[in-house]
């Protein structure tokens, strides 16, 4: 059974802290994604990676960075957390090309920044 | 102007009461229209991809259809386990990597 796991379900951090969100997939997928989901705004893409060490900015990359050192792992980094980064963060993976958007999502991390 | 509009925002059905969810989009150069299901507290689960007007896909009690400007998700004789939020997302032919997800329709099926 395909699986995308995220390091934490719930996380509470203070403003200014550096935050790491980890995502691991066991499907040997080339593509990995980080989204945030907010009420009324839907799912928005933060960053996309199509291979190890390769990344592209999504629609809302400001305040975030990513790291992909191994194929199965994609990390989202909040360099200095702010309250407007309180959100649900979802990681996803997929095969490349025409199946890029048939994505498998993890359970999400609900981050609260106080 | 929103590129993707889903209606209704919320829908409550009795078990067995068939209905349809709508996804209207204004993107140009559609490369695909994706439907996902999301249960509370979970990530979305991929359901269907539709590529061209007139195409239909089915899965159990769900059938997705596509026209040039909208897609419908028809639910036939729903069961309580079909309760979820249904998200649609068109993919534009603009080179953007991101899908534009709609805000979803929250479906509740009562026994």
């Amino acid at each position: 059974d395909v699986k995308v796991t995220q390091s934490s379900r719930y996380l509470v951090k203070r403003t200014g802290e550096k935050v790491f969100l980890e995502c691991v997939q066991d499907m040997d997928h080339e593509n990995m994604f980080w989204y945030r989901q907010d009420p009324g705004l839907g799912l928005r893409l933060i960053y996309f990676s199509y291979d190890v060490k390769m990344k592209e900015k999504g629609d809302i990359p400001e305040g975030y960075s990513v790291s992909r050192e191994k194929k199965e792992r994609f990390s989202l980094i909040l360099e200095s957390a702010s309250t407007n980064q309180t959100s649900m963060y979802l990681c996803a993976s997929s095969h490349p090309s025409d199946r890029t958007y048939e994505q498998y999502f993890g359970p999400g991390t609900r981050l609260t920044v106080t | 102007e929103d590129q993707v509009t889903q209606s209704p925002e919320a829908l409550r059905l009795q078990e067995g009461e068939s209905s349809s969810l709508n996804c209207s989009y204004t993107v140009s150069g559609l490369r695909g229209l994706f439907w996902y299901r999301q249960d509370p507290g979970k990530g979305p689960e991929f359901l269907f991809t539709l590529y061209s007007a007139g195409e239909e896909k089915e899965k159990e009690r769900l059938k997705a259809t596509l026209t040039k400007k909208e897609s419908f998700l028809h639910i036939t004789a729903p069961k309580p386990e079909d309760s979820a939020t249904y998200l649609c997302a068109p993919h534009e032919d603009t080179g953007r990597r991101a899908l534009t997800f709609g805000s979803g329709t929250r479906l509740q099926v009562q026994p």
Side-chain angles (χ1 to χ4, degrees):
Chain A
D1 196 17
V2 298
K3 204 163 184 184
V4 178
T5 57
Q6 296 184 228
S7 50
S8 305
R9 292 301 306 272
Y10 301 94
L11 209 52
V12 180
K13 295 292 182 180
R14 294 197 180 274
T15 301
E17 279 192 80
K18 191 168 186 176
V19 182
F20 293 87
L21 302 182
E22 304 284 337
C23 175
V24 177
Q25 51 96 2
D26 65 0
M27 296 164 282
D28 201 36
H29 283 166
E30 285 81 359
N31 297 327
M32 296 189 76
F33 305 79
W34 274 107
Y35 293 88
R36 62 178 284 177
Q37 185 173 31
D38 301 285
L41 296 176
L43 276 159
R44 294 178 291 167
L45 182 67
I46 305 171
Y47 267 99
F48 163 62
S49 170
Y50 52 92
D51 203 349
V52 174
K53 297 190 187 294
M54 307 304 287
K55 62 186 180 185
E56 283 187 15
K57 293 180 180 179
D59 287 339
I60 51 165
E62 297 79 17
Y64 304 94
S65 62
V66 290
S67 172
R68 193 162 179 206
E69 297 296 320
K70 293 185 178 181
K71 189 175 185 180
E72 67 271 18
R73 189 179 297 269
F74 192 33
S75 301
L76 180 69
I77 303 154
L78 286 65
E79 297 290 342
S80 177
S82 63
T83 55
N84 63 11
Q85 292 178 311
T86 292
S87 185
M88 170 69 86
Y89 289 89
L90 289 157
C91 174
S93 71
S94 71
H95 289 292
S97 67
D98 61 341
R99 297 181 63 188
T100 293
Y101 299 102
E102 297 177 11
Q103 297 175 8
Y104 294 88
F105 282 82
T109 295
R110 186 165 294 282
L111 173 67
T112 302
V113 182
T114 62
Chain B
E1 181 185 352
D2 287 346
Q3 289 187 302
V4 188
T5 303
Q6 291 190 246
S7 61
E9 287 186 15
L11 182 62
R12 184 179 294 180
L13 300 173
Q14 291 296 125
E15 185 172 1
E17 180 186 1
S18 302
S19 188
S20 296
L21 314 183
N22 177 262
C23 171
S24 299
Y25 57 90
T26 58
V27 301
S28 57
L30 184 75
R31 295 189 65 180
L33 188 292
F34 299 83
W35 280 98
Y36 283 81
R37 167 194 170 125
Q38 187 172 22
D39 293 299
K42 295 187 177 181
E45 176 187 348
F46 169 72
L47 290 174
F48 303 110
T49 309
L50 301 166
Y51 290 106
S52 57
E55 187 175 359
E56 298 183 352
K57 292 272 179 77
E58 288 190 60
K59 182 179 182 178
E60 296 182 356
R61 294 173 293 282
L62 301 176
K63 183 169 78 172
T65 62
L66 183 67
T67 70
K68 286 190 176 181
K69 290 298 179 186
E70 57 190 352
S71 179
F72 293 94
L73 186 64
H74 307 278
I75 303 176
T76 302
K79 297 182 177 182
E81 53 262 42
D82 295 321
S83 298
T85 296
Y86 291 86
L87 304 168
C88 73
H91 181 217
E92 298 179 81
D93 189 14
T94 60
R96 277 182 78 237
R97 293 288 192 179
L99 289 176
T100 303
F101 281 88
S103 296
T105 293
R106 191 171 60 256
L107 173 66
Q108 184 178 2
V109 182
Q110 295 183 314

